[in-house]
Amino acid sequence: MAVRVSQRSMFTSFVTNMNTSLADLMDSNIQASSQKRINKPSDDSIGTARVMNYRDSIAGIEQYKKNIDTAKSWLSLADQTLTQVNTILTRMKGLAEQAATGTLDANNREQISFEIRQQYEQLINLANTQYEGRHIFAGHKTNQPAFVKGLNLSSNDTVFSNGSFSISGSAEKTIVVQFTSNATIGGAGAVPLRYSTDAGRTWQNGSIPAGDNRLSIGGVQVTFQSGTAVQAVDTTNIHETLSNGSLNGTWLYIRPTAVYQGDDNDLPPAITHYGAAPVSAAATGVFSQDITVRIDNSNATMGGHIEYSYSLDNGNTWVTGNVASDATTSNSASLLIPGGFLVLNGSNASLTGAQNQQFIVKPHRGDVKFEIAQRETITVNSIGKDVFGGIYTSPNASNASAVFDGGSKNLFETVGRLVAYTETNNQSGIQRALEDLDIASSHIMTQAASIGGRENRLEVAGNVLTTIELDEKARMSNIEDIDVAELMTKLAQQQLVYNSVLKSSAQIMQMNLSNFI
């Protein structure tokens, strides 16, 4: 049966064909311009999802690489700083070797002391090194200097151990104190003494009043522990005793040191308990992050069966199925968690109703960490007191005490003693300080080696990320990018199709009944 083809139907068909071929040609033109096979989700919905995943992964890698670059800057600056510190120590050792020789007199040693005190000031400046306004040796307290100048006390008398005194104020030079009679500080009688601020050239008499335990000299105040016994000093030929170290009786050297103001990693973790059950808890181990622990079973007992879960992301996800069933006593239980144990203490009755109660282990950390890969971090700062020593008041302590018990690894204490001995013409003290400088220098180089190890780790981590990034980009390119040769062939074909549609449509549209009249 013949079907009549109207002009409207022909026009509609022509326009549809032209638009279809033109749309195909325009799509190919867009691909040629962007060099991408996928330019909108409708081009390939599955491919688009994969490309978005790859882009997210690459963006994460780029951020990790930025973190690595910043971490490298932190560690490189710390490395350079410790190298400069060791250079200063080398110079100090040379000066101390000169001062320790018997051919020098008090004037010579005083002259050497001027440079050593200036080097001490420079060491404090180096310990307060900043990166982009943040102090790299202050733990988390990066907005304030890690160290400030302070005073400490050295004595030939062993009764003056750490914690038996506190000291405040400032002094431009070392102050030497001698007690001139046997006495007890804080006792019923006054404690007579004398002191010198010019290496024993001149002396002034003083005393600690009866019933008092404070000694004030100029801008310095020393508070002793009441009941501390002191011994009388034989003041005969005092310059000789200063030089050869024959320090009879009780001598005190009020000398420079550095006070650490940052924080540390030494305190035990704090435990926060959410729940009414009368259970006490403590944590033992080394923890790098907060850990939330939850009691899961309703019949938990201290000496028996405790089911628990723990979370490393503040309760968003939980590691379940953990059991503590080997408690050593009936009133305690140790729950194994990443980094150590959560130890619960109490009676069996104290766990009644403890189901779903939680304990949060919060470690006290001074480390500044950068994330350099998924679930991988690196510490970029250093705890200043563990590097340079000095004196430090722990949050749990009332008085400051010398780091490393004031031993040779304590750089600021070692240098402070050297300053004191050169300023007071104490040759034997200088010789002891010279030996301590070698140990302090070795400790600084050990800390530098630790920093160097982290720098090398960053280098490897950066290379790994670069390799992963190239692989991710190659995979994304296989999905997203266009084959240029194939596209050019396709474009030529689509252009030919479009031209053919235009030409055939024009020829057909010219054919009508009036052409044959």
Side-chain angles (χ1 to χ4, degrees):
M1 181 179 69
V3 178
R4 180 177 179 273
V5 180
S6 66
Q7 292 294 113
R8 173 182 286 276
S9 63
M10 284 193 301
F11 180 78
T12 301
S13 179
F14 296 156
V15 171
T16 300
N17 291 336
M18 283 188 293
N19 285 340
T20 300
S21 58
L22 181 60
D24 292 340
L25 184 59
M26 288 303 299
D27 286 343
S28 297
N29 181 265
I30 292 172
Q31 291 177 343
S33 175
S34 66
Q35 297 293 294
K36 304 294 183 185
R37 184 180 67 85
I38 301 174
N39 293 286
K40 54 185 181 296
S42 59
D43 291 341
D44 184 348
S45 58
I46 296 177
T48 299
R50 295 179 64 187
V51 167
M52 294 300 292
N53 288 336
Y54 282 126
R55 286 180 179 174
D56 286 344
S57 177
I58 292 171
I61 291 173
E62 289 294 338
Q63 184 59 56
Y64 290 141
K65 292 175 72 174
K66 290 179 181 178
N67 291 350
I68 287 176
D69 289 340
T70 304
K72 283 181 178 179
S73 298
W74 274 68
L75 294 174
S76 176
L77 180 58
D79 194 359
Q80 295 172 25
T81 299
L82 294 189
T83 299
Q84 294 176 43
V85 167
N86 199 58
T87 299
I88 290 177
L89 290 180
T90 300
R91 173 59 180 166
M92 280 188 169
K93 284 189 282 187
L95 293 171
E97 286 172 353
Q98 296 179 43
T101 59
T103 57
L104 271 65
D105 58 17
N107 291 327
N108 299 138
R109 293 190 178 98
E110 184 181 24
Q111 292 159 6
I112 291 174
S113 74
F114 294 144
E115 181 176 350
I116 292 180
R117 184 172 276 271
Q118 290 303 312
Q119 298 287 18
Y120 149 78
E121 301 266 0
Q122 184 59 31
L123 286 175
I124 292 181
N125 290 336
L126 289 172
N128 289 329
T129 298
Q130 300 179 61
Y131 175 77
E132 295 181 346
R134 292 175 290 179
H135 292 84
I136 63 176
F137 294 111
H140 280 156
K141 298 178 181 179
T142 57
N143 60 339
Q144 66 180 28
F147 290 90
V148 294
K149 290 188 291 184
L151 295 176
N152 203 1
L153 186 152
S154 294
S155 176
N156 65 310
D157 196 333
T158 57
V159 300
F160 291 94
S161 58
N162 290 335
S164 63
F165 65 90
S166 63
I167 186 168
S168 60
S170 61
E172 292 184 358
K173 300 198 73 173
T174 301
I175 300 173
V176 183
V177 178
Q178 297 175 339
F179 293 92
T180 54
S181 69
N182 298 336
T184 300
I185 296 175
V191 180
L193 55 88
R194 69 176 193 167
Y195 63 89
S196 173
T197 59
D198 57 3
R201 292 184 177 88
T202 61
W203 294 86
Q204 300 182 53
N205 293 322
S207 67
I208 301 175
D212 198 355
N213 61 345
R214 292 169 296 179
L215 169 64
S216 295
I217 301 175
V220 177
Q221 184 177 84
V222 183
T223 302
F224 299 97
Q225 183 175 350
S226 294
T228 300
V230 295
Q231 303 296 316
V233 174
D234 180 2
T235 59
T236 304
N237 196 10
I238 195 66
H239 287 290
E240 177 63 24
T241 57
L242 271 170
S243 178
N244 64 27
S246 302
L247 305 182
N248 61 85
T250 302
W251 295 57
L252 305 181
Y253 291 87
I254 300 174
R255 53 161 178 82
T257 188
V259 180
Y260 180 62
Q261 300 185 117
D263 54 5
D264 60 54
N265 297 329
D266 300 338
L267 291 179
I271 308 295
T272 303
H273 177 205
Y274 294 96
V279 180
S280 62
T284 60
V286 179
F287 306 97
S288 60
Q289 62 187 111
D290 290 359
I291 303 176
T292 305
V293 181
R294 182 186 66 201
I295 305 297
D296 291 336
N297 59 323
S298 59
N299 58 343
T301 58
M302 284 296 183
H305 187 79
I306 298 178
E307 298 176 5
Y308 66 98
S309 302
Y310 63 83
S311 173
L312 303 178
D313 54 8
N314 300 315
N316 292 321
T317 59
W318 293 88
V319 178
T320 60
N322 304 285
V323 177
S325 58
D326 56 349
T328 56
T329 65
S330 60
N331 57 4
S332 69
S334 296
L335 312 186
L336 178 63
I337 55 179
F341 292 90
L342 176 68
V343 181
L344 304 180
N345 294 290
S347 63
N348 287 334
S350 65
L351 281 178
T352 302
Q355 185 179 19
N356 295 323
Q357 294 196 22
Q358 297 181 9
F359 302 84
I360 300 180
V361 180
K362 297 181 177 180
H364 184 84
R365 307 294 292 175
D367 296 335
V368 175
K369 295 188 175 184
F370 287 1
E371 190 172 5
I372 58 174
Q374 190 173 13
R375 294 184 296 276
E376 182 180 354
T377 60
I378 191 168
T379 301
V380 299
N381 69 331
S382 297
I383 305 301
K385 74 178 188 63
D386 296 336
V387 178
F388 303 101
I391 60 175
Y392 173 58
T393 303
S394 170
N396 290 342
S398 57
N399 292 326
S401 60
V403 181
F404 306 129
D405 294 326
S408 302
K409 290 197 302 183
N410 192 321
L411 173 63
F412 283 124
E413 283 290 277
T414 294
V415 173
R417 289 191 290 266
L418 178 61
V419 170
Y421 296 145
T422 53
E423 289 181 343
T424 59
N425 190 33
N426 188 331
Q427 182 183 353
S428 63
I430 295 171
Q431 292 170 347
R432 293 193 302 271
L434 179 58
E435 296 174 0
D436 292 341
L437 280 175
D438 288 328
I439 298 174
S441 177
S442 176
H443 176 67
I444 290 295
M445 295 312 297
T446 299
Q447 296 296 317
S450 172
I451 292 172
R454 281 177 275 167
E455 288 183 286
N456 291 337
R457 177 188 171 190
L458 286 175
E459 193 67 34
V460 173
N463 292 337
V464 170
L465 287 177
T466 299
T467 301
I468 295 174
E469 183 181 27
L470 291 174
D471 182 66
E472 296 281 272
K473 287 182 177 179
R475 292 172 180 270
M476 184 175 69
S477 177
N478 290 337
I479 299 171
E480 184 183 32
D481 292 348
I482 196 71
D483 186 322
V484 177
E486 181 181 344
L487 177 62
M488 292 300 101
T489 302
K490 183 179 178 181
L491 271 171
Q493 291 174 340
Q494 288 175 334
Q495 186 176 11
L496 179 61
V497 169
Y498 181 60
N499 288 335
S500 299
V501 170
L502 290 177
K503 185 173 183 179
S504 61
S505 298
Q507 290 176 345
I508 294 174
M509 288 297 292
Q510 291 176 3
M511 297 176 61
N512 58 68
L513 187 60
S514 61
N515 294 123
F516 298 96
I517 298 177

